[in-house]
């Protein structure tokens, strides 16, 4: 079962990357996943990208596999545009960014166009082992949310783009959340269809060149369509892998919680379709996760927090 490191430096330095790749290989990992965009700096109005083609080439020269991570509908740079409009919650209140989370509604034309621009950029890179899609969903800041979903309607998004599109689908003008509550099954089906079509666009563009991985929050499977619009089983049927993010500030180091989430996936999925992501502080934590039943059958494991792992013997 292959293991990978999520590598996200503040800046690209060729010699440092070569050195790190040697350490990663010597520690027994099989490859590296790179975030395509550079970190956001307050006040910076221009999105900058890492030279991923060069990074992938160096990775392969080191005898490792390479993956790319796309941050799809979370983008602080789009928020700086004068014509950008933020997601809106079910109370009609626009989202206010916090703790570096800048969600973009998948129905916002600016976000939609940028997503397809990313697909074109990745397509031009040619053959890549993996491409992971993060935040390919409706806004949901799961890192700061209670994972026990108690909302009576999905918290986001009820922006004009969403409401107009949904009104067109149901054939009547929808103006109030109360109307959506009455049509909740239709609303959930419509939301899931929006995300599914974006996944299928990625498959059409890339699946012949790379293995596509869809990242999901660490929710119960039954809650994912409601909270995020994601339908993991449909994506697997279309040839994708699924990467549940198996960490949360309130659950760090809680192996029983991780096992509970994985038990739900075992019921619905073949383990070979899963590529879980863990945020770890030490090699000992990794050993604990590797001891979980059926871990050896996963398509792969991705470990975040390279800076903590780098200096361990």
């Amino acid at each position: 079962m292959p293991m990978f490191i999520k590598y996200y430096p503040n800046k690209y330095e060729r010699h440092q990357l070569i050195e790190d790749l040697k350490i990663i290989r010597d520690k027994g990992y099989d490859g590296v996943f790179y975030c395509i965009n550079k970190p956001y700096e307050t006040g910076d109005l221009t999105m900058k990208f890492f030279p991923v083609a060069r990074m992938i080439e160096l990775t392969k020269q080191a005898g490792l596999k390479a993956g790319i991570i796309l941050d799809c509908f979370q983008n602080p740079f789009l928020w700086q545009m004068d014509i950008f409009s933020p997601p809106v919650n079910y109370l009609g209140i626009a989202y206010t960014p916090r703790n570096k989370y800048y969600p973009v509604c998948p129905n916002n034309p600016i976000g939609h166009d940028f997503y397809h621009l990313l697909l074109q950029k990745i397509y031009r890179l040619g053959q890549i082992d993996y491409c992971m899609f993060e935040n390919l969903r409706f806004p949901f800041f799961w890192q700061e949310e209670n994972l026990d979903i108690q909302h009576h309607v999905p918290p986001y998004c009820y922006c004009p783009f969403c409401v107009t599109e949904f009104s067109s689908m149901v054939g009547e003008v929808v103006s109030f959340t109360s109307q959506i509550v009455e049509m909740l099954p239709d609303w959930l089906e419509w939301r899931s269809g929006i995300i599914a079509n974006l996944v299928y666009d990625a498959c059409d563009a890339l699946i012949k060149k790379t293995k596509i991985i869809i990242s999901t929050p660490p929710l119960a499977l039954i809650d994912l369509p409601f909270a995020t619009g994601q339908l993991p089983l449909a994506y697997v049927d279309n040839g994708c892998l699924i990467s549940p993010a198996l960490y949360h500030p309130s659950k760090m180091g809680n192996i029983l919680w991780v096992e509970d989430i994985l038990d739900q996936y075992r019921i619905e999925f073949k383990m070979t379709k899963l590529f879980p992501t863990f945020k770890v502080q030490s090699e000992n934590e990794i050993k604990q996760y590797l001891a979980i039943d059926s871990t050896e059958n996963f398509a792969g494991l991705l470990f975040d927090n390279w800076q903590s792992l780098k200096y361990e013997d």
Side-chain angles (χ1 to χ4, degrees), residues 281-301:
Q281 300 295 327
S282 68
E283 297 281 357
N284 284 334
E285 284 186 61
I286 292 178
K287 291 177 182 177
Q288 290 180 328
Y289 291 130
L290 293 178
I292 295 175
D293 186 39
S294 300
T295 302
E296 70 277 3
N297 296 321
F298 291 148
L301 295 175

Side-chain angles (χ1 to χ4, degrees), residues 117-178:
L117 186 68
L118 286 179
L119 293 185
Q120 294 174 22
K121 189 175 184 69
I122 297 303
Y123 181 83
R124 290 194 295 269
L125 288 175
Q127 189 74 37
I128 308 172
D129 296 305
Y130 301 94
C131 186
M132 176 178 284
F133 291 75
E134 290 188 340
N135 289 302
L136 182 44
R137 52 181 170 78
F138 281 92
F140 183 70
F141 195 9
W142 60 266
Q143 292 89 337
E144 294 196 358
E145 285 276 351
N146 185 339
L147 299 181
D148 181 17
I149 303 299
Q150 298 293 330
H151 305 288
H152 68 285
V153 293
Y156 289 93
C157 176
Y158 302 82
C159 70
F161 303 114
C162 284
V163 173
T164 299
E165 181 75 19
F166 181 66
S167 296
S168 176
M169 193 272 287
V170 298
E172 64 178 274
V173 176
V174 177
S175 304
F176 304 100
T177 305
S178 58

Side-chain angles (χ1 to χ4, degrees), residues 90 137-140 145-158 180-181 183-185 187-189 191-192 195 217 219-232 235:
Y90 65 94
R137 52 181 170 78
F138 281 92
F140 183 70
E145 285 276 351
N146 185 339
L147 299 181
D148 181 17
I149 303 299
Q150 298 293 330
H151 305 288
H152 68 285
V153 293
Y156 289 93
C157 176
Y158 302 82
I180 292 175
V181 171
M183 296 184 284
L184 192 57
W187 177 254
L188 296 178
E189 182 179 359
R191 281 164 48 93
S192 298
I195 304 302
L219 296 174
L221 274 172
I222 195 172
D223 289 330
L224 277 173
F226 180 90
T228 69
Q230 293 176 311
L231 292 172
Y235 313 153

Side-chain angles (χ1 to χ4, degrees), residues 37 66 68 86 109 143 166 248 253 260 272 279 289 304:
N37 56 292
I68 292 295
Q143 292 89 337
F166 181 66
H248 188 268
D260 181 59
T272 54
K279 181 166 285 190
Y289 291 130
D304 196 355

Side-chain angles (χ1 to χ4, degrees), residues 255-266:
I255 300 296
L256 292 178
W257 172 75
V258 171
E259 290 179 331
D260 181 59
I261 295 290
L262 288 176
D263 283 344
Q264 297 178 44
Y265 277 90
R266 287 188 184 99

Side-chain angles (χ1 to χ4, degrees), residues 72-83:
C72 301
F73 292 98
Q74 194 282 134
N75 192 317
F77 296 95
L78 296 186
W79 275 74
Q80 310 305 315
M81 300 176 65
D82 292 336
I83 59 174

